[in-house]
């Protein structure tokens, strides 16, 4: 089996443009909370593909990304997804990105998933709030008919004893709201031991089933034309965000009472601590409110937002390009000045060298004609002149090396500048084609009826995510 991927890229638009998805290929989504080992799992299957592997709790996957390899003359695509506890992005943003990829590929390319692998750390002593939220949203996204295409895989078995791991595994299976109901609906359980053979064993289980599935989220958004907030996954996530908002509103109200008491006691340290807690709780409330609002977005608004984001990104790209050109010009000017100074120094050194050689010849002549008393003095003078000549030669070698290094640096800057120009032209060209597709979709939906406009809120605007945020790896 040969890996044909290139690793990650930040240029989602160009990768999407160059990517050809076939409905006959194998598509397997990899899901789970941050730190469950999604990127590590993919790297095992793809023979050390450059899937950014994290070793902390920060998310390494911030957008939906695709890694591809060949197996038995079949093309296998592993879809790496961010968790709903992503370090840098809101849960609503994560759901929109996943809805985009699943909906657009299903509608435009007729792609169906071969299966879904849900990863869970066996090192977790209990099902945390974030893990349970992630699992619940995952269940709603898949729907019961797709459960037979799901593999529930535990990871990090090398960090626990078999006894402890087996107890936790049984708890997951026996608890209905965890994995119990999913197993009853046909989901399979596997242990991923962290090596290539273990990962491929799971992949081959799904491939050898010779079946595909359409997720509930895909049916709702594409077939039924529902807006994201009206899907089962959207409602589940919105309900969680409402609970979060209410929780932190209660905490904020409690801190206000505590603040009044701290002020009455004139406790400066406590006042400062409570103020920090209030700021933290208020941010949580604001994030939850924003998340609820983000799920209720029309296609027209999403397109407008993406267009604005694209313009902002292109402006930033242009600034980066100008800065690169300015840096190259500066280095070029510095190199020219350096070469001028070097030439002057060389001319001066050449004159000094000629004078030293003349002095050396004269000294030798005096030695040959002089008496023994002058010999020691003349010999010392000769040695001093030879040392000066050696120092001059060494300086000349250093100047040549510095000139060579500067030329190399300037050439590298020129190559980077040309690459930036080409990248910008590719992005701009693809953006134009994307906008044309969007206009055609809008016109088509308007002809079918205004009620369908909201249903394509995410899927329609999803084409623009190709330029502004996503990343497909081939």
């Amino acid at each position: 089996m040969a890996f044909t991927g290139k690793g990650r890229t930040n240029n989602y638009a160009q990768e999407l443009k160059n990517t050809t998805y076939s409905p006959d290929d194998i598509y397997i989504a990899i899901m789970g909370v941050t730190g469950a080992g999604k990127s590590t799992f993919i790297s095992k299957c793809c023979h050390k593909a450059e899937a950014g592997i994290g070793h902390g709790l920060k998310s390494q996957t911030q957008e939906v990304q695709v890694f591809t390899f060949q197996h038995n003359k079949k093309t296998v695509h592993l879809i790496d997804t961010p968790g709903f506890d992503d370090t840098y992005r809101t849960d609503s943003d994560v759901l929109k990105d996943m809805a985009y990829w699943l909906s657009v590929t299903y509608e435009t390319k007729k792609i169906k998933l071969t299966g879904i692998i849900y990863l869970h750390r066996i090192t977790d002593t209990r099902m945390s709030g974030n893990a349970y939220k992630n699992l619940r949203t995952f269940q709603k996204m898949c729907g019961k008919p797709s459960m037979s295409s799901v593999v529930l895989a535990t990871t990090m078995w090398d960090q626990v004893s078999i006894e402890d791991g087996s107890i936790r595994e049984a708890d997951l299976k026996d608890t209905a709201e965890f994995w119990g109901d999913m197993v009853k609906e046909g989901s399979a359980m596997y242990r991923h031991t962290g090596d290539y053979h273990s990962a491929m064993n799971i992949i081959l289980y799904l491939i050898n089933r010779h079946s595909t599935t359409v997720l509930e989220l895909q049916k709702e958004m594409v077939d039924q034309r529902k807006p994201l907030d009206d899907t089962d996954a959207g409602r589940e996530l919105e309900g969680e965000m409402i609970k979060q908002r209410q929780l932190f509103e209660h905490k904020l109200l409690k801190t206000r009472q505590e603040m009044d008491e701290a002020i009455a006691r004139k406790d400066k340290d406590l006042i400062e601590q409570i103020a920090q807690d209030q700021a933290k709780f208020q941010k949580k409330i604001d994030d939850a409110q924003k998340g609820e609002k983000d799920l209720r977005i029309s296609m027209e608004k999403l397109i407008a937002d993406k267009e604005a984001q694209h313009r902002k990104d292109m402006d930033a790209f242009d600034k980066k390009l100008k800065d690169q050109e300015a840096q190259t010009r500066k280095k070029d000017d510095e190199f020219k000045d350096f070469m001028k100074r070097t030439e002057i120094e060389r001319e001066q050194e050449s004159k000094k060298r000629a004078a030293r050689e003349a002095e050396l010849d004269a000294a030798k002549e005096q030695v040959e004609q002089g008496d023994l008393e002058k010999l020691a003095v003349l010999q010392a003078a000769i040695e001093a002149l030879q040392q000066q000549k050696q120092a001059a030669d060494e300086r000349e070698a250093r100047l040549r090396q510095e000139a060579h290094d500067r030329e190399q640096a300037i050439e590298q800057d020129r190559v980077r500048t040309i690459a930036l120009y080409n990248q910008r032209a590719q992005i701009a060209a693809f953006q134009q084609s994307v906008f044309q597709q969007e206009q055609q979709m809008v016109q088509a939906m308007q002809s079918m009826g205004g009620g369908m406009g909201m249903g394509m809120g995410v899927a329609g605007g999803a084409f623009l995510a190709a330029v502004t945020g996503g990343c497909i790896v081939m």
Side-chain angles (χ1 to χ4, degrees):
M1 181 177 64
F3 169 58
T4 59
K6 298 179 181 177
R8 294 185 178 206
T9 174
N10 291 325
N11 188 358
Y12 188 20
Q14 185 59 27
E15 290 295 337
L16 183 61
K17 182 179 179 181
N18 293 335
T19 299
T20 301
Y21 286 133
S22 169
D24 296 329
D25 291 348
I26 304 297
Y27 298 88
I28 298 174
I30 314 297
M31 301 185 182
V33 299
T34 296
K38 298 187 292 292
S39 297
T40 303
F41 181 92
I42 290 172
S43 72
K44 300 300 180 182
C45 299
C46 294
H47 282 308
K48 299 182 180 178
E50 297 174 8
I53 299 171
H55 299 287
L57 292 180
K58 289 188 176 180
S59 173
Q60 298 298 315
T61 304
Q62 296 181 33
E63 300 93 15
V64 175
Q65 302 173 73
V66 179
F67 294 85
T68 302
F69 65 93
Q70 298 292 325
H71 179 75
N72 288 345
K73 299 182 180 181
K74 274 285 189 179
T75 301
V76 181
H77 305 280
L78 301 184
I79 306 157
D80 194 6
T81 64
F84 286 104
D85 56 340
D86 186 84
T87 313
Y88 304 103
R89 311 177 67 219
T90 64
D91 289 345
S92 57
D93 285 337
V94 171
L95 182 59
K96 285 195 293 184
D97 276 356
M98 294 173 70
Y100 151 70
W101 199 95
L102 292 168
S103 299
V104 172
T105 53
Y106 172 52
E107 181 175 39
T108 63
K109 297 179 179 292
K110 309 305 178 186
I111 288 173
K112 298 179 182 180
L113 295 180
T114 301
I116 313 98
I117 300 173
Y118 187 88
L119 300 180
H120 176 82
R121 297 181 296 255
I122 198 63
T123 53
D124 291 352
T125 57
R126 61 182 181 83
M127 180 74 73
S128 68
N130 279 333
Y132 185 64
K133 175 184 66 177
N134 201 319
L135 180 62
R136 287 285 300 167
T137 307
F138 169 76
Q139 292 170 339
K140 296 295 185 180
M141 185 185 304
C142 293
K144 289 185 178 181
S146 293
M147 283 300 155
S148 59
S149 299
V150 171
V151 168
L152 303 167
T154 46
T155 62
M156 303 184 184
W157 280 89
D158 59 329
Q159 300 180 29
V160 297
S161 66
I162 293 297
E163 292 76 15
D164 289 343
S166 298
I167 292 172
R168 295 169 191 171
E169 184 182 49
D171 184 51
L172 290 170
K173 182 179 180 180
D174 296 339
T175 305
E177 57 266 31
F178 295 167
W179 290 5
D181 287 343
M182 300 171 70
V183 172
K184 289 180 181 178
E185 295 292 340
S187 298
M189 290 181 62
Y190 273 79
R191 294 181 182 181
H192 174 49
T193 54
D195 56 33
Y196 165 76
H197 295 290
S198 174
M200 281 306 301
N201 190 38
I202 297 173
I203 296 293
L204 292 178
Y205 163 77
L206 291 171
I207 293 176
N208 292 335
R209 293 179 66 254
H210 302 292
S211 66
T212 58
T213 188
V214 178
L215 303 187
E216 185 66 22
L217 181 64
Q218 294 173 305
K219 296 176 184 176
E220 291 173 314
M221 294 200 67
V222 177
D223 300 334
Q224 301 171 24
R225 300 297 186 186
K226 288 184 178 181
L228 183 57
D229 65 322
D230 197 30
T231 64
D232 287 349
R235 286 195 297 268
E236 177 68 27
L237 188 57
E238 186 176 26
E240 288 295 327
M241 288 187 291
I242 292 174
K243 291 178 183 178
Q244 283 288 99
R245 174 171 54 80
Q246 293 173 343
L247 172 64
F248 286 107
E249 285 174 345
H250 175 74
K251 289 185 176 182
L252 183 61
L253 179 61
K254 185 178 179 181
T255 58
R256 287 170 181 165
Q257 298 171 350
E258 294 172 349
M259 178 66 82
D260 291 340
E261 296 174 1
I263 292 174
R265 295 199 304 267
K266 298 181 180 180
D267 189 334
K268 293 183 179 180
D269 291 340
L270 184 57
I271 291 173
E272 182 178 350
Q273 180 61 50
I274 294 174
Q276 292 176 359
D277 290 342
Q278 287 180 335
K280 180 177 66 176
F281 296 154
Q282 186 61 55
K283 185 179 185 306
K284 292 287 188 180
I285 294 170
D286 294 341
D287 288 345
Q289 290 175 335
K290 180 180 181 299
E292 295 171 45
K293 182 179 178 182
D294 286 347
L295 290 176
R296 298 187 293 272
I297 186 170
S298 67
M299 184 181 70
E300 291 78 12
K301 181 65 167 60
L302 183 59
I303 291 176
D305 289 348
K306 291 296 184 182
E307 288 176 346
Q309 183 62 45
H310 171 69
R311 288 191 293 270
K312 181 179 178 181
D313 290 344
M314 291 302 290
D315 289 343
F317 199 93
D318 287 340
K319 183 180 183 303
K320 179 181 179 181
L321 185 58
K322 290 178 181 177
D323 291 344
Q324 180 66 41
E325 290 175 334
Q327 181 181 0
T328 302
R329 287 194 299 269
K330 181 180 178 182
K331 286 186 177 181
D332 201 16
D333 292 341
E334 290 175 349
F335 179 71
K336 291 177 181 177
D337 291 341
F338 168 77
M339 293 303 294
K340 288 180 181 178
R341 294 195 308 271
T342 301
E343 188 61 31
I344 293 173
E345 291 178 4
R346 282 174 175 166
E347 291 177 359
Q348 294 174 345
E349 188 60 39
S350 179
K351 293 177 181 179
K352 290 180 180 179
R353 183 192 297 267
R356 286 194 298 268
E357 290 176 350
E359 291 177 5
L360 183 59
D361 291 340
K364 289 179 179 179
E365 186 177 349
Q366 290 180 21
V367 169
E368 294 172 355
Q369 298 175 359
D371 54 31
L372 295 175
E373 293 179 356
K374 296 179 181 179
L375 183 61
V377 175
L378 293 173
Q379 186 64 33
I382 291 172
E383 291 177 356
L385 289 171
Q386 290 175 334
Q387 290 175 356
Q388 291 176 3
K389 180 177 180 298
Q390 182 180 355
D393 291 341
E394 291 175 353
R395 174 173 173 76
E396 174 67 17
R398 286 196 300 271
L399 289 173
R400 290 181 183 277
Q401 183 60 46
E402 185 176 353
H404 177 267
D405 293 342
R406 287 174 179 262
E407 285 179 331
Q408 290 287 83
I410 289 173
E411 181 60 26
Q412 290 174 0
D413 280 342
R414 285 175 179 150
V415 171
R416 281 193 290 269
T417 301
I418 293 172
L420 287 171
Y421 268 118
N422 293 337
Q423 189 180 15
R424 187 190 187 286
Q426 291 168 346
I427 293 175
F430 182 63
Q431 178 67 12
Q432 181 62 33
S433 69
V434 171
F435 289 162
Q436 292 174 356
Q437 292 182 48
E438 289 167 353
Q439 294 302 320
Q440 294 173 0
M441 291 175 64
V442 172
Q443 293 172 3
M445 284 186 291
Q446 287 176 346
S447 67
M448 289 187 290
M452 294 184 181
M454 280 292 291
M456 283 298 294
V458 172
F463 285 103
L464 285 174
V467 176
T468 59
C471 177
I472 286 186
V473 178
M474 291 298 297

